[in-house]
Amino acid sequence: MTDGAPGRGVAASRARAGRDIVGQVVLRTLNLALGVGVTLLLVRTLGTDGFGRWSVLLAVVGFVSYFGSLGLAQVAVERAAADPDRSPHWFGALVTLRLALIGPVTLLSLGVCLLLADDSEMRVAAVLVCTTLPLAVLSALSVVFQLQVRNVVVTAIELGNSVVWTAAVAVLFLLDAGLVPIAAAFLGVATLTNVAYIVFALRASPVHFRRSRPLWGDLLRQGLPVGIGGLLTLGYGYVDQVIVFEIAGVRDAGLYGAVYRIYERAQFLPAALMTTLFPLFVAARDHDPDRVRRLFRTAVDYLMLTSLPALAISLAGAEPITRLLFGPDFTDAAPALPLLMATFVVVSLGYLTGYLIVAYNLQRKFLLIAVGALVFNVAANLALVPSYGFMAAAWLTLATEVLVMSLSMWIVCSAMGVTPTGDHLGRIVFAATVTGLAGWGLEEAGVPTAAWVAAAGLLYGGLVIALGTVRLGELRALVRRDAT
């Protein structure tokens, strides 16, 4: 079990990092396609009102469940990367601590969902969705693969989840099922997926559950500030949806929830990059500042490389894209799509700052930023959503993320002594701009939406290769270290 040995896992990670990122991107691209497909089926099965209720349930569960995870996983990876001989104990402490937290969290989540539910069907669905929370603790062991730079295993499990979930939703779509059968299928698929996580993780690495409790205090001390900060920054995305549901109505919630799902799904790209690079940042942090700076610039380049084309294409034709994806009933959601894709660009950089905040122990400073951002976001939404509906929520999501990312980038770069830039940003922006203009021209010329989107994507790929901005060999060389 060579790969599972804690001491050798981190060393081997540097040689596998490039392949791990590529493998994740390939599998997560497939996952994204399935996720979009599922969203389209759910939209057509439930309609605007039903999908609004489903979106609110997922938003509440996603937000409240964070109280059971906090920043514990990131801290466990940081501790295990810095102290590989004790990594099995850190993994065990992570799982047992989350088990201790999940009971009250599940009850709180269920209580909020039942309070918001506006009919009996939504209440039954709330019970089924909240039942997934205790099972989700099993997925905490996915950190084993992050430490070993084998995140492609986690991605493969996620892809399997998407395949099964897509099949289940397709059957329910054909049966014209309602909210409750969909929630029951969601629970069944989540159960299978979380069992797979623990089976594969225990085969990959030893995990010591016994005598792991003494490590709880360290996990909580380090994880609580970043966890609360993450909870607050996560909160304004989910709170927005609840405010829209309660104030603007179920139809607005359905419209906003549809395009918001695309934004959420797209975040697999920055997640794939940063879950791979985070242990490498930690390993180089104290003794190799030049490597840290190179990793930082590479991360900025690749985060922008993967997020800017989404913004460019959405600006080229938001309405036809929205109509193609969700049908004519959701056309009114189109103006929110470019705003959320702009938010995606900002959030991509936010993934970088979020991980580095943990690596450089900046959690308390970040907490102040997150509290201020949440207060601003909630107050502004309560003031503007009654007049402007879900579009106010979309604009405020973008504004809040810009605020948080800018301040977070400032404290991170100050601590690291780096400049917030990449090596190829100008060329990446140029390629994205040309792509957006070409897409707009094709759309104006009457080219079918799917065709011009595909053509714009191919153009972007060709441009970034021709301009020399995609060099995976450089990334692999950057993170490779000779075996010792």
Side-chain angles (χ1 to χ4, degrees):
M1 201 162 63
T2 303
D3 288 336
R8 289 190 291 270
V10 176
S13 70
R14 291 157 178 81
R16 285 197 299 264
R19 287 177 305 186
D20 190 64
I21 292 173
V22 174
Q24 283 189 81
V25 169
V26 171
L27 293 179
R28 287 178 184 258
T29 299
L30 296 174
N31 201 3
L32 173 63
L34 289 171
V36 172
V38 165
T39 299
L40 305 188
L41 288 173
L42 287 171
V43 162
R44 285 163 172 77
T45 302
L46 297 174
T48 52
D49 288 2
F51 192 77
R53 294 184 177 95
W54 177 249
S55 296
V56 167
L57 289 179
L58 294 185
V60 171
V61 170
F63 178 62
V64 178
S65 66
Y66 201 80
F67 285 99
S69 59
L70 299 174
L72 303 178
Q74 288 170 274
V75 175
V77 171
E78 190 273 338
R79 288 290 185 267
D83 185 14
D85 291 337
R86 299 181 68 200
S87 60
H89 298 87
W90 289 110
F91 298 150
L94 172 64
V95 174
T96 54
L97 180 53
R98 286 195 58 183
L99 281 171
L101 295 172
I102 200 61
V105 167
T106 302
L107 293 176
L108 176 61
S109 181
L110 180 60
V112 174
C113 286
L114 293 177
L115 183 65
L116 292 172
D118 60 357
D119 62 17
S120 59
E121 186 180 30
M122 189 174 176
R123 284 188 282 273
V124 175
V127 173
L128 293 170
V129 171
C130 290
T131 304
T132 64
L133 293 179
L135 299 167
V137 174
L138 301 178
S139 67
L141 281 179
S142 62
V143 296
V144 166
F145 303 106
Q146 186 177 350
L147 184 67
Q148 297 175 356
V149 195
R150 296 173 60 207
N151 298 288
V152 69
V153 176
V154 177
T155 310
I157 295 173
E158 293 172 351
L159 180 61
N161 167 276
S162 293
V163 170
V164 178
W165 175 230
T166 300
V169 172
V171 171
L172 295 172
F173 170 74
L174 295 174
L175 296 175
D176 196 23
L179 190 60
V180 172
I182 287 171
F186 184 77
L187 172 60
V189 174
T191 302
L192 291 174
T193 304
N194 288 306
V195 169
Y197 273 123
I198 196 166
V199 169
F200 282 97
L202 292 177
R203 291 178 61 185
S205 173
V207 179
H208 296 166
F209 296 105
R210 296 180 63 184
R211 296 188 296 275
S212 64
R213 188 167 181 175
L215 300 178
W216 284 13
D218 197 10
L219 280 180
L220 281 173
R221 278 192 300 273
Q222 299 299 320
L224 196 58
V226 71
I228 294 174
L231 178 68
L232 295 172
T233 54
L234 180 74
Y236 32 78
Y238 289 138
V239 169
D240 288 0
Q241 295 183 63
V242 174
I243 292 174
V244 170
F245 178 80
E246 285 292 298
I247 295 179
V250 66
R251 183 176 183 273
D252 268 32
L255 294 172
Y256 188 51
V259 291
Y260 197 89
R261 288 290 170 273
I262 303 301
Y263 159 69
E264 277 190 321
R265 289 286 181 176
Q267 293 181 41
F268 81 89
L269 289 165
L273 185 70
M274 290 312 304
T275 53
T276 297
L277 293 184
F278 179 54
L280 306 180
F281 272 110
V282 173
R285 173 189 58 196
D286 298 325
H287 62 84
D288 197 346
D290 288 338
R291 182 183 294 273
V292 168
R293 283 190 283 271
R294 292 195 300 271
L295 280 169
F296 184 91
R297 291 194 301 270
T298 298
V300 170
D301 278 345
Y302 277 86
L303 289 167
M304 292 297 94
L305 185 73
T306 53
S307 60
L308 282 175
L311 172 60
I313 291 173
S314 68
L315 286 170
E319 184 172 323
I321 291 173
T322 304
R323 190 184 304 112
L324 174 68
L325 291 176
F326 305 115
D329 290 344
F330 284 79
T331 303
D332 289 344
L337 183 60
L339 293 175
L340 291 176
M341 290 302 98
T343 307
F344 170 54
V345 175
V346 178
V347 165
S348 293
L349 291 175
Y351 271 83
L352 174 60
T353 59
Y355 276 97
L356 292 177
I357 280 166
V358 175
Y360 286 85
N361 197 26
L362 300 169
Q363 293 96 319
R364 285 172 175 78
K365 290 183 178 180
F366 177 67
L367 184 57
L368 296 175
I369 295 171
V371 169
L374 181 63
V375 171
F376 161 74
N377 182 271
V378 172
N381 268 285
L382 290 174
L384 298 176
V385 166
S387 299
Y388 301 101
F390 69 90
M391 284 301 299
W395 275 108
L396 290 170
T397 296
L398 174 58
T400 307
E401 292 291 356
V402 169
L403 175 65
V404 172
M405 188 279 295
S406 300
L407 293 174
S408 300
M409 185 68 76
W410 175 62
I411 63 171
V412 163
C413 291
S414 297
M416 297 174 63
V418 300
T419 303
T421 187
D423 291 324
H424 307 300
L425 272 182
R427 281 177 275 181
I428 293 168
V429 171
F430 174 77
T433 301
V434 172
T435 296
L437 291 173
W440 175 78
L442 291 172
E443 198 277 326
E444 288 292 306
V447 176
T449 304
W452 72 254
V453 169
L458 290 173
L459 173 63
Y460 182 74
L463 284 172
V464 294
I465 292 172
L467 294 170
T469 57
V470 175
R471 296 177 182 176
L472 290 176
E474 287 184 358
L475 179 59
R476 286 192 290 270
L478 175 65
V479 298
R480 186 180 295 116
R481 186 179 72 180
D482 293 335
T484 57

